[in-house]
Amino acid sequence: MSAYLTNHREWQESWDRQQAAFMPDREERFAAMLEAVAAVTGGEAPRLLDLAGGTGTISLRTLARFPDAQVTVLDQDPVLLTIAGSSLRGRATVVDADLGDPGWRAKLPAEPFDAVLTATALHWLPAGRVAALYAEVHEVLRPGGLFVNADHMTDEGLPELSRQLLDHARARREARYAAGAATSWPQWWALAAADGQLAPKAAERQRIYPSDQHNQEWIPPVSWHVETLRAAGFREAGIIWRGGTDAAVAGLR
């Protein structure tokens, strides 16, 4: 069997649809992130790290906007990395590394990055590891380089409204799942496990991620992220995008 998926375009589309059902404003956050990248590079093609990049979602959008970008996508999930490697074949460096291990940086290209972007991934890590990771990211950026993390980050000043927004979004999402308009997270992984090419990777994934691991989210308010970025050495830190109970925080080295 080829190391590359013959149906990687379909799997990219399937992943995008599944994720968009959970985050209808997903593309808006990516656009805001890439606009910030353009700002710090003066519009030039960046050296960019797609951190915990999954199927290469950010990498693909980076290359669509900056065709000459030098992109590295890093993740540990064997299913998502297989899709990423097939989709980005010859256009990006794909790195298999565990962000829970501080040694992940040793697997990166030596030259520092203009930007490091990550989306909807770091909430699976515990508080202490995220704080340490922010400092590690700081070290792989060039001076003046940009880090952006877009994730679930509530506003401490809106506790009741945040709860209402989450309940409203959940109800709309469940209605779409029930009507077959979108694929849920468990359904998507079941489809991947049933695919002839991805099934061995799905079995490998199950060994890496015990079935209960994705029930251990840690979602602090946006203020925690801003304060932690500053403590990690970023000279500027703040919010560059917000959509409901999600936000994108940026740090400038």
Side-chain angles (χ1 to χ4, degrees), residues 168-241:
H168 178 66
R170 186 180 302 109
R172 291 187 62 189
R173 190 165 60 248
E174 292 298 333
R176 297 194 72 212
Y177 294 157
T183 304
S184 69
W185 175 268
Q187 289 170 332
W188 192 89
W189 288 106
L191 289 170
D195 180 84
Q197 296 179 88
L198 286 176
K201 298 298 182 181
E204 182 182 344
R205 180 183 190 272
Q206 187 60 39
R207 291 190 293 271
I208 295 171
Y209 302 117
S211 59
D212 62 347
Q213 178 167 328
H214 276 66
N215 294 321
Q216 299 175 2
E217 297 175 281
W218 182 72
I219 304 176
V222 69
S223 59
W224 182 92
H225 290 277
V226 173
E227 292 166 4
T228 304
L229 284 169
R230 289 175 178 150
F234 288 91
R235 58 189 172 91
E236 291 185 12
I239 303 167
I240 61 167
W241 175 88

Side-chain angles (χ1 to χ4, degrees), residues 12 47 65 77 91 107 115 145 215 222 230:
Q12 283 287 356
R47 281 181 49 79
R65 176 159 183 172
D77 190 303
R91 296 193 291 159
K107 297 186 177 183
N215 294 321
V222 69
R230 289 175 178 150

Side-chain angles (χ1 to χ4, degrees), residues 56-72:
T57 298
I58 290 174
S59 296
L60 289 166
R61 284 152 181 77
T62 298
L63 289 165
R65 176 159 183 172
F66 307 100
D68 295 326
Q70 298 177 55
V71 176
T72 299

Side-chain angles (χ1 to χ4, degrees), residues 117-167:
L117 306 183
T118 188
T120 331
L122 301 190
H123 61 269
W124 298 118
L125 297 174
R129 184 65 202 123
V130 176
L133 184 65
Y134 281 180
E136 292 159 9
V137 168
H138 182 272
E139 294 306 309
V140 303
L141 284 166
R142 64 163 173 82
L146 174 75
F147 172 56
V148 185
N149 176 19
D151 209 336
H152 312 314
M153 302 179 189
T154 57
D155 186 324
E156 287 177 301
L158 298 170
E160 182 177 353
L161 179 58
S162 294
R163 179 185 56 77
Q164 292 171 332
L165 286 167
L166 287 168
D167 289 346

